[in-house]
């Protein structure tokens, strides 16, 4: 089995090196990002639309319940 933690670490180290070649400090960027809260919403029109028509079920995707 492939160690995904090791693979991620190797990929990040390679990316850090490549970005460093063009003057980007990835460690500094990650430090700045660690102080920013992010909330990602997932809304699909058919999820909400399922409640608009009487006796119509949801599509089976993300269910919006309020």
């Amino acid at each position: 089995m492939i160690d995904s933690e090791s693979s991620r670490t190797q990929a990040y180290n390679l990316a850090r090196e490549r970005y460093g070649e063009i003057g980007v400090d990835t460690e500094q960027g990650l430090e700045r990002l660690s102080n920013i809260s992010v909330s990602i919403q997932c809304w699909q029109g058919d999820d909400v639309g399922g409640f608009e028509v009487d006796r119509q079920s949801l599509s089976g995707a993300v269910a919006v319940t309020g």
Side-chain angles (χ1 to χ4, degrees), residues 42-44 46-48 50-51 57-66:
C42 178
W43 290 91
Q44 293 175 281
D46 61 340
D47 294 329
V48 178
F51 289 110
S57 64
L58 295 175
S59 67
V62 179
V64 179
T65 59

Side-chain angles (χ1 to χ4, degrees), residues 1-16:
M1 182 174 184
I2 298 173
D3 179 4
S4 60
E5 180 70 26
S6 176
S7 296
R8 283 191 300 270
T9 300
Q10 289 176 358
Y12 173 71
N13 288 336
L14 179 58
R16 182 180 58 198

Side-chain angles (χ1 to χ4, degrees), residues 5-47:
E5 180 70 26
S6 176
S7 296
R8 283 191 300 270
T9 300
Q10 289 176 358
Y12 173 71
N13 288 336
L14 179 58
R16 182 180 58 198
E17 182 181 315
R18 296 275 172 87
Y19 278 107
E21 291 172 3
I22 59 171
V24 176
D25 183 342
T26 58
E27 294 297 321
Q28 181 183 32
L30 290 173
E31 178 64 30
R32 289 181 70 183
L33 286 173
S34 71
N35 296 309
I36 300 172
S37 297
V38 176
S39 175
I40 300 172
Q41 302 298 320
C42 178
W43 290 91
Q44 293 175 281
D46 61 340
D47 294 329

